[in-house]
Amino acid sequence: MLTIRNLRARHVAVDALDLQDGECFAVMGPSGSGKSLMLRAVADLDPTEGEVAVDGRERMSMTGPEWRRQVMYVGPESGWWEDRVAAHFEDPDSVVGVLQRLGFRPETLNWPVSRLSTGERQRLAIARAFDRGPRVLLMDEPTGALDQQSTAMVEGVIHDFLMDGGIVLMATHEKAQATRLGTRSAMMTDGRLVT
């Protein structure tokens, strides 16, 4: 369970939100409404006040890296700091199945990062998140740069994560996607989550 109480960050306010195992909560709203800032605040990537806990364990009781391993932010543009794809995975062999479900062959791990398109980077960032074994995924426009076929693959992987008891808090502009994946949805308006 993900619990948020009185979360405050720069231009963001979430009074109360509880997400159960297997739940995808879709946050919608126009660009600049604070969706990404809210996800970053929950991930503890920006200075915040308030309480955020996963399975009853308060964020402040963990180190930043420990929290972000459990409650992982997957942004629309991910960082790539090594030359080869495999270097970005803790256990490359364990993600071959996810890679294949996202449309990649195992040899993709040997590719240079410079070879990747924007959409390939986005899908590989999602695979990289699964490699870390998170409890909660904070997904910021997870299919924003993807075509219809790639979007379907990503949504399939997210669906399976939810079926296994994972929790997803997702920002999306696509109402159809919010309907397909979301068990609940809400609007972000001027930095405030309106549930």
Side-chain angles (χ1 to χ4, degrees), residues 5-95:
R5 295 289 182 273
N6 300 314
L7 180 65
R8 301 291 183 266
R10 183 176 54 99
H11 308 300
V12 171
V14 179
D15 294 330
L17 183 62
D18 294 329
L19 301 184
Q20 304 295 327
D21 294 3
E23 185 169 10
C24 176
F25 191 91
V27 180
M28 302 185 69
S31 296
S33 62
K35 299 183 303 294
S36 297
L37 291 174
M38 181 197 67
L39 294 178
R40 290 182 56 83
V42 174
D44 197 30
L45 293 171
D46 296 326
T48 63
E49 296 176 3
E51 298 175 16
V52 184
V54 64
D55 297 329
R57 190 162 176 211
E58 170 62 39
R59 173 183 58 183
M60 299 312 257
S61 71
M62 302 183 205
T63 65
E66 185 181 7
W67 174 259
R68 287 185 285 277
R69 187 177 191 87
Q70 290 293 308
V71 181
M72 184 167 294
Y73 175 76
V74 183
E77 296 179 19
S78 57
W80 299 89
W81 50 90
E82 299 287 345
D83 292 336
R84 295 270 165 203
V85 171
H88 296 91
F89 291 86
E90 290 182 356
D91 185 0
D93 293 335
S94 73
V95 296

Side-chain angles (χ1 to χ4, degrees), residues 8 11-15 33-34 187-195:
R8 301 291 183 266
H11 308 300
V12 171
V14 179
D15 294 330
S33 62
M187 292 296 293
M188 200 83 183
T189 305
D190 296 327
R192 181 170 290 276
L193 186 66
V194 182
T195 55

